[in-house]
Amino acid sequence: MSTKKISSALISVFHKDGLAPIVKKLDELGVTIYSTGGTEKFIKDLNINVVPVESVTDYPSILGGRVKTLHPKVFGGILNRQEHEGDVAEMQQYEIPQLDLVIVDLYPFENTVASGASEQDIIEKIDIGGISLIRAAAKNFKDTLCVSSMEDYNEVLQIISEGNGSTTMEQRKHFAAKSFNISSHYDTAIFNYFNSDHSIASLKFSETKGKVLRYGENPHQRGFFFGEFDSMFDKLHGKELSYNNLLDVDAAVNLMNEFKGDSPTFAILKHNNACGIAQRETVHQAYVDALAGDPVSAFGGILISNTEIDKPTAQEIHKLFCEVVIAPSFSSEALEILKGKKNRILLIQKLHELPATITRSCLNGALVQDRDFITDAEENLTTATNNKPSQSELEDLLFASKVCKHTKSNTIVLAKGKQLCASGTGQTSRVDALRQAIDKAKSFNFDLQGAVMASDAFFPFPDCVEIADNAGITAVIQPGGSIKDELSINYCNENDLAMVFTGVRHFKH
């Protein structure tokens, strides 16, 4: 039979919110309820009859509650095959009660880890009985309905109400899939806790929050996002974010993290690269000067600020067609203005730590690496030339270096007065990247006299510093480390350029 009537249920949960209506409905349907510990007390407090699991097993909860339901009479009631003659006979022989419904959740292991609890407290939140009950009930979905999350309580209540206590095979199999999703995610979290140093070269990645996107990178590709977007952003307005929007938002957040706590900084990104960024005394001027970096590419771009967007800034932004605007907050007047375009996506960025590792697909597997948390700072710089950069040049060099770190390699970034003049992005040659940046800066009427240059990797030849010098650039920041560093150093010394080494390469592929 595909339809099964629930006559008995085992309920043992950590989270009891929303449980009462289900318990009351089961009691109304005449279902025998078995329980233990805190859940048993919860049900009794509802003035509903409940059978203690201990009365079935003839064994008390022991070891401080570590062992409660791990008993053949419990698991036999869940795992027996109701149409199997041998199973039916053994159930009668050993007086094992049938369990048609199992409502069990798991100790909050991930929340305990996130809270900064001690190792002992974390270990105690590794569920043993719960995970075993879930796996058993889900395995025997032909006869048993398994409910493993409080998020499913409303759906379960609807099913047993509409079905008068009966469930279909399709429903039970669906809940089995949900249960194995819960159990596999739980085990992944535990493994990743124990393997936080990656001493075991094994990749376990699990996200239970998933969303179907309109499409992938292109309309003919399916697309999905797995993650807790709402933990990072409050979406205030606009259409649903697309696959490409999410990639650009990720790039924008990573870039602006470099300027956290700095003076007002505004960036405009297109296809994961900054086409404009500036730091000023006001957010309004920062936006105006960021837009000046490339007003053509800004069309349809992603905008991000490291400070609240006010009314004057919103009035300027409203003149531009843009996909997404991100800020830590918006003034009420700014919000009213920016909501003037119904599809414009407005996001408030919350304080949230990004994962310490980055994963991407590669061939028939995956590549995993540490996130690049290094931000080039003045104390880490080594002056490689006779000529030292002035204080204003030094500030521009560090500004350019931050932008360079988040621009696709090979890249060259040109900046002046804490404003992006232009960048060469994703070129196969560093010389090509530099020429692209110079040509672009000139096309938007930037005066490169006194500008600075940042490179994501070292110069094997002096050609780049020579081209930069001829364009008016006076200071350079690069990792250094080439066996031919002296060639570039000598050119700079002979032509009064200042050059500093960071000692850190920032490739971005």
Side-chain angles (χ1 to χ4, degrees), residues 193-208:
Y193 169 76
F194 279 96
N195 194 45
S196 60
D197 61 354
H198 302 287
S199 58
I200 300 173
S202 178
L203 174 64
K204 301 252 188 307
F205 176 79
S206 176
E207 283 290 351
T208 57

Side-chain angles (χ1 to χ4, degrees), residues 36-66:
T36 184
T39 308
E40 179 187 344
K41 181 181 183 302
F42 174 83
I43 296 171
K44 283 180 177 178
D45 290 344
L46 295 173
N47 294 317
I48 291 174
N49 289 330
V50 56
V51 180
V53 169
E54 290 91 334
S55 69
V56 176
T57 62
D58 292 325
Y59 222 94
S61 172
I62 62 173
L63 306 181
R66 279 190 166 197

Side-chain angles (χ1 to χ4, degrees), residues 71-109:
H71 194 280
K73 282 197 172 183
V74 175
F75 282 86
I78 296 170
L79 285 165
N80 75 92
R81 294 157 292 184
Q82 294 180 21
E83 296 179 0
H84 189 283
E85 290 184 7
D87 286 7
V88 172
E90 286 187 300
M91 292 282 285
Q92 293 173 347
Q93 179 184 354
Y94 296 108
E95 298 180 337
I96 299 174
Q98 177 65 45
L99 295 172
D100 306 304
L101 169 63
V102 174
I103 302 178
V104 177
D105 63 5
L106 301 171
Y107 292 153
F109 177 81

Side-chain angles (χ1 to χ4, degrees), residues 118-155:
S118 67
E119 183 175 272
Q120 184 57 42
D121 287 340
I122 291 170
I123 298 304
E124 288 304 316
K125 286 299 184 289
I126 297 177
D127 208 311
I128 304 300
I131 200 84
S132 302
L133 291 167
I134 288 171
R135 289 179 64 85
K139 174 181 178 176
N140 201 32
F141 67 88
K142 287 186 177 181
D143 295 311
T144 308
L145 175 65
C146 182
V147 182
S148 55
S149 171
M150 62 184 293
E151 294 181 5
D152 295 325
Y153 287 174
N154 288 336
E155 185 180 354

Side-chain angles (χ1 to χ4, degrees), residues 21-36:
I22 295 177
V23 174
K24 291 176 181 178
K25 188 65 182 179
L26 292 172
D27 181 58
E28 179 188 317
L29 292 166
V31 174
T32 302
I33 300 175
Y34 299 87
S35 191
T36 184

Side-chain angles (χ1 to χ4, degrees), residues 142 350 414:
K142 287 186 177 181
K350 304 176 187 178
L414 306 181

Side-chain angles (χ1 to χ4, degrees), residues 4 6 44 51 65 88 134 187 208 218 271 315 330 398 404 425 432 448 509:
K4 295 280 185 180
I6 298 172
K44 283 180 177 178
V51 180
V88 172
I134 288 171
D187 284 338
T208 57
N218 299 293
H271 295 292
Q315 288 173 327
F330 298 82
L398 293 172
C404 189
T425 62
D432 287 345
L448 293 180
H509 290 101

